[in-house]
């Protein structure tokens, strides 16, 4: 199975992909953080869904970037994976 890190490195070789990735980097960073938190907690999407009181498909949509989660949803996700949600605003380009 290809690891997410390896897949990202392969895609980043494509200049068009790199440009689009830079444009939506924050969204990808959030998706990567969600998946990393769940896998570090050794949870499947179904197990996490059970903890959140939702469905596996809802977790898949969240981790796939197909929905814009609320702050409350992200906080619940963090709690369910044994992590802590933090938010940081940094200067553009830095």
């Amino acid at each position: 199975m290809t690891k997410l890190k390896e897949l990202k490195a392969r895609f980043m070789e494509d200049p068009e992909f790199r440009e689009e990735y830079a444009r939506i980097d924050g969204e990808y960073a959030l998706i990567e953080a969600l998946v990393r938190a769940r896998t570090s907690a050794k949870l499947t999407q179904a197990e996490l869904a059970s903890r959140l009181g939702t469905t596996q498909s809802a977790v898949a949509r969240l981790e796939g970037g197909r929905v814009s989660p609320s702050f409350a949803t992200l906080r619940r996700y963090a709690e369910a994976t044994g992590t802590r949600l933090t938010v940081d605003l940094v200067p553009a380009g830095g």
Side-chain angles (χ1 to χ4, degrees):
M1 180 187 298
T2 302
K3 291 184 177 182
L4 182 59
K5 191 178 209 178
E6 294 167 357
L7 186 60
K8 178 182 173 184
R10 196 171 351 152
F11 281 133
M12 290 299 273
E13 294 172 7
D14 178 350
E16 286 182 36
F17 178 87
R18 242 189 349 265
E19 184 178 318
E20 182 66 11
Y21 187 90
R23 189 179 71 75
I24 58 173
D25 187 39
E27 292 177 37
Y28 278 109
L30 175 59
I31 291 167
E32 286 182 35
L34 292 173
V35 173
R36 189 172 37 256
R38 179 178 55 77
T39 57
S40 292
K42 298 183 180 4
L43 295 170
T44 65
Q45 287 182 340
E47 291 167 333
L48 179 60
S50 178
R51 289 184 181 194
L52 293 172
T54 190
T55 63
Q56 178 274 326
S57 61
V59 172
R61 284 191 301 275
L62 181 63
E63 292 181 355
R66 294 186 300 269
V67 295
S68 294
S70 68
F71 191 81
T73 297
L74 293 175
R75 186 174 37 240
R76 288 180 40 235
Y77 191 104
E79 290 171 3
T81 58
T83 59
R84 184 173 52 91
L85 176 65
T86 62
V87 176
D88 192 15
L89 299 173
V90 297

